[in-house]
Amino acid sequence: MQWPPPWRRSPLVSATPPPGPTTGLLRPRRVSEAGDSSTEGARTGHSHYVTPAESAMERRSQPFPSLRPASPTNAPAHGRGSDCTAKEPPLANVCRQNYGAAQDPVEPAGRRSASHVTGSSLGKAEVACGRRWRWAELVANSSWSPAGRATEMKVKMLSRNPDNYVRETKLDLQRVPRNYDPALHPFEVPREYVRALNATKLERVFAKPFLASLDGHRDGVNCLAKHPENLATVLSGACDGEVRIWNLTQRNCIRTIQAHEGFVRGICTRFCGTSFFTVGDDKTVKQWKMDGPGYGDEEEPLHTILGKTVYTGIDHHWKEAVFATCGQQVDIWDEQRTNPICSMTWGFDSISSVKFNPIETFLLGSCASDRNIVLYDMRQATPLKKVILDMRTNTICWNPMEAFIFTAANEDYNLYTFDMRALDTPVMVHMDHVSAVLDVDYSPTGKEFVSASFDKSIRIFPVDKSRSREVYHTKRMQHVICVKWTSDSKYIMCGSDEMNIRLWKANASEKLGVLTSREKAAKDYNQKLKEKFQHYPHIKRIARHRHLPKSIYSQIQEQRIMKEARRRKEVNRIKHSKPGSVPIVSEKKKHVVAVVK
Amino acid sequence: MTANRLAESLLALSQQEELADLPKDYLLSESEDEGDNDGERKHQKLLEAISSLDGKNRRKLAERSEASLKVSEFNVSSEGSGEKLVLADLLEPVKTSSSLATVKKQLSRVKSKKTVELPLNKEEIERIHREVAFNKTAQVLSKWDPVVLKNRQAEQLVFPLEKEEPAIAPIEHVLSGWKARTPLEQEIFNLLHKNKQPVTDPLLTPVEKASLRAMSLEEAKMRRAELQRARALQSYYEAKARREKKIKSKKYHKVVKKGKAKKALKEFEQLRKVNPAAALEELEKIEKARMMERMSLKHQNSGKWAKSKAIMAKYDLEARQAMQEQLSKNKELTQKLQVASESEEEEGGTEVEELLVPHVVNEVQMNVDGPNPWMFRSCTSDTKEAATQEDPEQLPELEAHGVSESEGEERPMAEEEILLREFEERRSLRKRSELSQDAEPAGSQETIDSGSQEVLSELRVLSQKLKENHQSRKQKASSEGTIPQVQREEPAPEEEEPLLLQRPERVQTLEELEELGKEECFQNKELPRPVLEEQQSERTPNNRPDAPKEKKKKEQMIDLQNLLTTQSPSVKSLAVPTIEELEDEEERNHRQMIKEAFAGDDVIRDFLKEKREAVEASKPKDVDLTLPGWGEWGGVGLKPSAKKRRRFLIKAPEGPPRKDKNLPNVIISEKRNIHAAAHQVQVLPYPFTHHRQFERTIQTPIGSTWNTQRAFQKLTTPKVVTKPGHIIKPIKAEDVGYQSSSRSDLPVIQRNPKRITTRHNKEEKL
């Protein structure tokens, strides 16, 4: 027994002929070599195999090669078995030869001289052969080391498939074999419960929604508008007639325009984002370019339309060069004309807001001071239906994913989500505000909306829930007049009385920036856990806990008491009157006064 | 103005069903414009009058037909008025004038019209408008219902909805543009082409296609198994055939041959039953074969072999036998003619004829009785009986030509034949006895009596024979059946002869016989041998009590039968009062049912038991901490000492008294843990309808600790996925596969500029 075993030795140093199993693999080589040598043998009279040592020898003593090649390097092989040494060429040496033939310009010369091979074509063939031999050797080495030696020495070892534990790249995670036997992982529910509890707590810990405050306005911010093409650009109009354009990434004001005298009542961008429109208390509609004027030029609107009455709101069509204003009536304007192409009116009160439906773009909704919400069809230039609520609706917002759903922000502290085909009952009444709701905007996903209220807070409601999932407020934020949800659904902007625009995260505890896949997986898992265990009392309590300003808190308490009193009274009335004489009206129906066809 | 608008919108809405809701006279509201029109008309008239002053223009006026349409209030046209109206025309009856017919028609229409109803007021019209428009809009919006529903229920929504289609060229295109450049690539491509590997089109190779077309894996497996089985069977058969072929025993081959013949006959029988026509053909074939055989003049002892045998017959028994066999065969072959002649000679001959006539005919006769196979069987047995009855008469005749050779003939009917005969006889015996039993009540004793003596003697003979048979069988059992023993049976060839004649019929009932044989064997085992003999001999006599000879034996027999059939009377005794019995049973059943229904109805005791159990269960348990083998010897069968047990037994503290301790009729469960309750969900959350559902969702872990990576990812997919920095646009019709309306959203008026101007003028007027 020799050490190191032949398969551990470097092919450069040792030249052991491979035992049994590899001979089959190497046979073709022998044949080809024999073919080579036979051609030469015709000249020299005998055929044999050449080793480097031999060739070196032959370089010294040309032209006759020795009959019996006795290389010192393959001596052990000689000693062990004569059968292979006599016929089999030492594998490694041949390989080396061929390497040499491929790389070294000197070696092939010697070799050629030794084997009497001439001609470039043959040389090429040998190169190709050399490639093949290397492959063969690899195969041989790998194949015969465990199996071929088994007859002589038994080596017992664990055999593992490297695919199971080797990483493809350094950046990959180490693979951990896992046993999913449930017996090995007991207490699933308690463990997940604890995880959910921790996730909920962490969510609360990391809930820091406030991002930035954009200050610069010199009066309360009355209206906000998103840029349709650029996420970073936001436009705002203030109560002093000033319009500012903000860059959210830099959190500064790009441009300031003194657009109107008096309030800027409404602002909207064109669908392509090249210009925007403002309406003000000065009875004008102005169209502005989104890009500022060149150096030295004065800020001037592209167009100015002088109307007869005050316009209280404006909205642009989602596809065409048409916009709508509201005031005493709803006017629909062609951008190119100074007269409205049609005006629709139903009733005689001032209309506070008008909104185009983003999906079925010929639909409009408006709300007027006489407590009603009116829907219009622009194509047929007629109003469609009117619903009268308990109190005035300040504004409405259409769901961008569901064509027939809109939400109305009402003075009675509630928001009402309507299906426009069935206006007699709202789909959902959203209540949590403790003062008039002034503005509402949908998330672009259509799953949630944000509302701004006179109670100095904004709230986020899921569309299908009547209670808010989130309330944002700061000490300094006064009555929030306008609110917008950004087009990537990640942020919320609100403009308030105290001249600031605030930027919030839509998801309070969300981590900003790029997440690694592990972080993402953890986030998803935690989210699912929270959802799964959301009904458990402790988790629910933690998840619902919010700090509120004292004013809001006490208002909530007060209103709870009032509501309870009203409920009690109603119950008592039902109880003490003839059964059936006092109808039980559901909360949804209570607030709808009438639907006018 | 409004009317015009109305008309417009109505045109636009003409396809709407809602139109049907409108009042019928709605169209008439056009007359709203009448006020204006009136003025115009007056003006026109004035103009006309002025123009008519001038003579030249008159002709021109007559030509103006178009305007008159507008003029007429009742839509009366001046059609046909191109001709000059002469006074004479008017004087004449109107009918004749064709030109005025239309005018007249129109006039009559005008007369029939009633007064126009008042137009609706503006508000109402607008309301109707709005309603129509609203309905239309609602209809337009309803197309979004499925989309909205789908999005609401979606497991996951990925925003933005519109996906940028990555321009992926199909692999064929990529490959077709690519060429092998390096020699290695070329080599590989050559190989691929050689193997017909599809290069450009990633389809299947021809071989794969063929294999796919051939069959599925399972089919192939099944087929393979079948083939294997078939091959194995074939090899078995081959081996068997080879083995059998090697057997040199002539006897064996004889038996086999006979068996085959029998089998063929049996098959023929079956065929006869199933398909008479085919059977006839078969019969003809057999007959033909026989004729051929006969024509060939074989079995005449004239062949070479036969001659040599004849020489040897003097000394060799076997040779003699062989010769005789051949002779018998010859006889058999030549028999037909003889028999036919015989039947003609015979007096009644019907029975014999029956035997010889092809069975198809027989069957037809039998089928007259009915299709019942049992009936059929009895018929055949009857005939057999008759045949047996006739046997003695036939005997001498047969002896005349048959017995001389019969000695040789009998031998081939080796043991199995004997057995068969035996069965047959037994069967006939039994049949007869049954028949006679049946006949007894009918009072047909006399008829039987008339032929009784004959039958009796015959029976005696038969019983004797049976005895012999049994003896022979015994012997056979003791020492394997050898020829001498068979020869010993030769004393009764006369009886067997007629049975031979019956051969086809007998074979017909071969199956039956086998069964019978089994039965008989069974009986044989049951009964002691002498009893069997007696029984068989006496079954028939016991029908006739007046037969003096058999009386003693009969008494014995009755005893025996009593012994055998003791159960039958008892059964009958049970069967007689069946009705009472049934009534009793019903009552009992009823009682049983009631009992069963209220079996566990000891409510009070049950409740007490339940309560006791509940109390027991709620009691705190003692804790035993003894460790066997700790501090003392341990092992199998060794228990820790009592002292130790006492020492390490921790007694549970007495719990607080149960709340239902003094309430005997109440069980108050004290399982509820208040401390745990604070952490439990008290009310079933909204989407769940049953607490099981909720529990199940909670019990299913979603973490990667319990799930595979893939399952974990699937379980934790967020409901809404948004990409940071991507603008999410409102949903569009194209996004969900609807066609976006190519129509502009601009108001209808916008597309009619003339109208707009008027409108604006009006507005300005306002």
Side-chain angles (χ1 to χ4, degrees), chain A residues 261-306:
Chain A
E261 286 166 28
F263 280 40
V264 181
R265 286 288 173 189
I267 187 166
C268 70
T269 49
R270 203 170 182 274
F271 57 89
C272 61
T274 52
S275 61
F276 63 92
F277 296 83
T278 54
V279 289
D281 271 352
D282 52 1
K283 300 182 187 176
T284 51
V285 182
K286 287 182 179 169
Q287 185 183 9
W288 308 82
K289 272 186 82 169
M290 193 63 85
D291 308 323
Y295 182 74
D297 293 344
E298 261 186 50
E299 282 280 13
E300 269 189 351
L302 282 175
H303 300 284
T304 307
I305 301 164
L306 196 62

Side-chain angles (χ1 to χ4, degrees), chain B residues 3-19:
Chain B
N4 280 338
R5 257 176 67 197
L6 187 85
E8 281 252 359
S9 61
L10 281 173
L11 272 175
L13 292 171
S14 58
Q15 71 271 49
Q16 288 287 316
E17 315 167 340
E18 283 77 24
L19 271 181

Side-chain angles (χ1 to χ4, degrees), chain B residues 423-491:
Chain B
F423 293 147
E424 181 67 17
E425 281 155 13
R426 258 186 238 168
R427 215 180 117 238
S428 61
L429 266 175
R430 204 207 285 151
K431 275 266 162 64
R432 207 170 301 155
S433 68
E434 278 169 14
L435 269 177
S436 52
Q437 268 177 348
D438 288 355
E440 219 178 0
S444 61
Q445 283 181 9
E446 287 83 9
T447 50
I448 298 167
D449 275 347
S450 62
S452 64
Q453 293 221 332
E454 260 188 15
V455 175
L456 241 178
S457 61
E458 187 209 335
L459 278 171
R460 224 168 290 148
V461 172
L462 276 170
S463 64
Q464 230 177 20
K465 209 183 64 187
L466 263 175
K467 237 183 265 174
E468 276 171 5
N469 272 344
H470 280 294
Q471 276 167 2
S472 73
R473 211 196 291 166
K474 259 191 220 161
Q475 280 165 0
K476 209 165 55 183
S478 60
S479 63
E480 287 300 312
T482 46
I483 302 164
Q485 280 169 6
V486 178
Q487 275 174 334
R488 216 185 286 166
E489 282 189 317
E490 281 176 9

